[in-house]
Amino acid sequence: MADALQTTYNRLPVAFEYGEGAWLWDTEGRRYLDALSGIAVCGLGHAHPKIAAAIAEQAHTLIHTSNLYRVPLQEQLARRLCALGGMDQAFFCNSGAEANEAAIKLARLHGHRRGIARPKIVVMEGSFHGRTLATLSATGNARIQKGFEPLVEGFVRVPYDDPDAVAALGGDPEIAAILVEPITGEGGIRLPRPGYLQELRELATRHDWLLMLDEIQSGIGRTGQWFAFQHEEIVPDVLSLAKGLGNGVPIGASLVSGRAIDLFTPGSHGTTFGGNPLVCRAALAVLDVMQEEALCEQAARHGDVLLRLLQERLAHRPEVVEIRGRGLMLGIELDRPAAELVRRALDRGLLINVTAERVVRLLPPLITDDDQITEIADTVADIVSRFITKHKEQKVTV
């Protein structure tokens, strides 16, 4: 009864019935290798026995009370995440968009504390921060903003990976924060130059701005560190998390440190479902498995292998603009729109995604093994090569 659903997605003609590890099976019994992991959500793959057991046990014990009361599992998860990221406090919510909404509110509170009547946040062109009205307004993509005007005010947009453009705003007394992705996700897996985050950190400290990092896609081991900012050895003031934190159970988090501590006070922010015992138990189980199986290190190692294999197979083609990324967050940019590759991969039993119109995005589960990494590289290289050849032939025919 698909017609009973609002048309917010162009869905592919497949429905999945069950999964195991990096594999999914559809309702017709056909097997697919998942190189997207629900857009960086299922880092531990599908039906991981320890995650399933933790969820089932908690469901039989206590699913939800309210944030009106103490939630010991939430306190435990906050301590674990803060220790991993060098942060101090956590607020739990239901999604990445909610985590970024919390960050935006923190920036405004910080601005008002400094005496700024209309605080502004520096955001980046090509960024993606969510689809609620405030996060949509922060996002640097006019296409997805279209039709939802008037947008929320208070965002100043500059080019990504351009610290000089941010520095040029140093004279604006209304700036209160910077919001940036360490690696863009929806924006096409763009990796900034080394030192970019360090320069933003220095600018934020100098001007008393909050440095707020959106790690909704790049966090929880995806890039080979627990958080992508740790590649540059900085500490942000605000850190937004979601996706991989619950391995499919909806949970988001906004972590704070330094000047962002204690900006929220009782009644200034809240959530009904966020951080309930069920989702916190799932997230704690995710962290346990990641540490027991050293999955950050595995993501770094397998990401290097996948990047090398893709470069060996595709980098010589002039139609391939760049193959880039870090850990298991990789993109192949072509010189033309490439949306049809998603269906071609599906027909070959591989789940991928195309973002920013012409970037093949690969986000396989962190538990993907050596043979599966090779299969992803072989299949992607083959469909991209065939796609390029087909377009060449069509051009000659015309």
Side-chain angles (χ1 to χ4, degrees), residues 87 103 106-107 110 121-122 124 166 175-182 195-215 229 232-240 255-260 263:
M87 306 296 282
L106 286 166
H110 177 65
I121 301 171
V122 181
M124 309 301 157
V166 180
I175 301 293
I178 305 168
L179 175 60
V180 62
E181 298 162 278
Y196 176 60
L197 293 182
Q198 291 174 347
E199 291 189 61
L200 296 186
R201 175 67 277 177
E202 193 278 326
L203 286 167
T205 302
R206 186 195 313 166
H207 296 292
D208 194 15
W209 300 338
L210 298 182
L211 177 61
M212 310 195 300
L213 300 184
D214 178 343
E215 292 234 27
F229 73 80
E232 291 214 19
E233 300 180 344
I234 65 160
V235 177
D237 299 299
V238 182
L239 177 64
S240 299
L255 308 187
V256 297
S257 70
R259 291 163 298 168
L263 286 169

Side-chain angles (χ1 to χ4, degrees), residues 256-389:
V256 297
S257 70
R259 291 163 298 168
I261 295 174
D262 296 329
L263 286 169
F264 281 151
T265 54
S268 61
H269 197 51
T271 171
T272 295
F273 299 107
N276 74 21
L278 182 72
V279 299
C280 287
R281 179 69 184 276
L284 284 164
V286 168
L287 300 184
D288 287 344
V289 171
M290 288 192 62
Q291 290 182 314
E292 291 165 4
E293 300 183 11
L295 291 181
C296 290
E297 294 83 352
Q298 179 165 305
R301 189 171 60 254
H302 281 178
D304 288 345
V305 171
L306 183 54
L307 185 63
R308 175 177 57 77
L309 293 175
L310 291 169
Q311 287 173 333
E312 288 174 357
R313 288 154 172 75
L314 290 171
H316 64 283
R317 290 186 169 274
E319 297 85 357
V320 176
V321 176
E322 188 177 20
I323 304 169
R324 58 183 179 243
R326 175 170 274 163
L328 289 174
M329 184 174 184
L330 300 175
I332 305 162
E333 181 175 353
L334 304 181
D335 64 353
R336 64 200 68 191
E340 71 178 76
L341 285 173
V342 175
R343 181 59 184 264
R344 285 171 173 246
L346 187 72
D347 291 342
R348 295 280 297 273
L350 179 69
L351 304 184
I352 63 168
N353 175 248
V354 168
T355 191
E357 294 189 349
R358 59 184 192 175
V359 180
V360 177
R361 179 168 51 171
L362 301 176
L363 302 164
L366 309 184
I367 48 89
T368 306
D369 66 26
D370 293 348
D371 291 341
Q372 291 163 342
I373 289 291
T374 301
E375 183 171 339
I376 291 169
D378 289 343
T379 307
V380 169
D382 188 55
I383 63 170
V384 169
S385 297
R386 290 172 183 265
F387 171 73
I388 290 170
T389 300

Side-chain angles (χ1 to χ4, degrees), residues 43 62 100 153 169 209 242 244 260 274 285 307 338 342 377:
L62 183 67
N100 278 336
E153 66 173 31
L169 297 171
W209 300 338
L307 185 63
V342 175

Side-chain angles (χ1 to χ4, degrees), residues 16-327:
F16 296 108
E17 192 165 33
Y18 65 97
E20 181 180 346
W23 298 105
L24 282 166
W25 281 261
D26 70 12
T27 52
E28 306 299 318
R30 188 181 179 208
R31 192 177 73 162
Y32 300 79
L33 181 56
D34 188 356
L36 187 61
S37 56
I39 313 182
V41 169
C42 298
L44 306 188
H46 303 281
H48 192 290
K50 292 184 178 177
I51 307 303
I55 293 171
E57 184 177 290
Q58 190 61 44
H60 283 286
T61 305
L62 183 67
I63 292 178
H64 180 81
T65 52
S66 166
N67 281 305
L68 293 174
Y69 312 104
R70 285 186 57 201
V71 183
L73 286 169
Q74 189 181 114
E75 295 167 6
Q76 187 179 340
L77 179 60
R79 287 193 295 272
R80 291 276 298 274
L81 287 174
C82 287
L84 290 170
M87 306 296 282
D88 294 308
Q89 296 175 337
F91 169 81
F92 292 105
C93 49
N94 305 290
S95 68
E98 277 191 75
N100 278 336
E101 284 276 352
I104 291 166
K105 291 178 72 173
L106 286 166
R108 292 196 170 188
L109 288 171
H110 177 65
H112 291 307
R113 182 178 283 184
R114 291 178 48 203
I116 303 171
R118 303 176 76 85
K120 300 176 187 172
I121 301 171
V122 181
V123 293
M124 309 301 157
E125 293 173 359
S127 63
F128 183 86
H129 299 296
R131 293 182 184 273
T132 63
L133 195 52
T135 58
L136 184 73
S137 302
T139 291
N141 185 332
R143 182 178 60 81
I144 65 170
Q145 292 171 334
K146 187 175 177 57
F148 298 105
E149 302 86 353
L151 301 176
V152 174
E153 66 173 31
F155 298 101
V156 180
R157 190 155 290 109
V158 299
Y160 186 68
D161 195 17
D162 186 352
D164 291 340
V166 180
L169 297 171
D172 186 338
E174 294 187 320
I175 301 293
I178 305 168
L179 175 60
V180 62
E181 298 162 278
I183 301 175
T184 69
E186 301 298 318
I189 314 295
R190 296 173 61 200
L191 193 66
R193 75 195 74 177
Y196 176 60
L197 293 182
Q198 291 174 347
E199 291 189 61
L200 296 186
R201 175 67 277 177
E202 193 278 326
L203 286 167
T205 302
R206 186 195 313 166
H207 296 292
D208 194 15
W209 300 338
L210 298 182
L211 177 61
M212 310 195 300
L213 300 184
D214 178 343
E215 292 234 27
I216 288 160
Q217 197 163 129
S218 62
I220 314 297
R222 174 60 51 187
T223 69
Q225 294 274 3
W226 279 100
F227 310 107
F229 73 80
Q230 292 172 325
H231 292 285
E232 291 214 19
E233 300 180 344
I234 65 160
V235 177
D237 299 299
V238 182
L239 177 64
S240 299
L241 302 173
K243 291 192 181 294
L245 181 54
N247 207 58
V249 174
I251 180 171
S254 172
L255 308 187
V256 297
S257 70
R259 291 163 298 168
I261 295 174
D262 296 329
L263 286 169
F264 281 151
T265 54
S268 61
H269 197 51
T271 171
T272 295
F273 299 107
N276 74 21
L278 182 72
V279 299
C280 287
R281 179 69 184 276
L284 284 164
V286 168
L287 300 184
D288 287 344
V289 171
M290 288 192 62
Q291 290 182 314
E292 291 165 4
E293 300 183 11
L295 291 181
C296 290
E297 294 83 352
Q298 179 165 305
R301 189 171 60 254
H302 281 178
D304 288 345
V305 171
L306 183 54
L307 185 63
R308 175 177 57 77
L309 293 175
L310 291 169
Q311 287 173 333
E312 288 174 357
R313 288 154 172 75
L314 290 171
H316 64 283
R317 290 186 169 274
E319 297 85 357
V320 176
V321 176
E322 188 177 20
I323 304 169
R324 58 183 179 243
R326 175 170 274 163

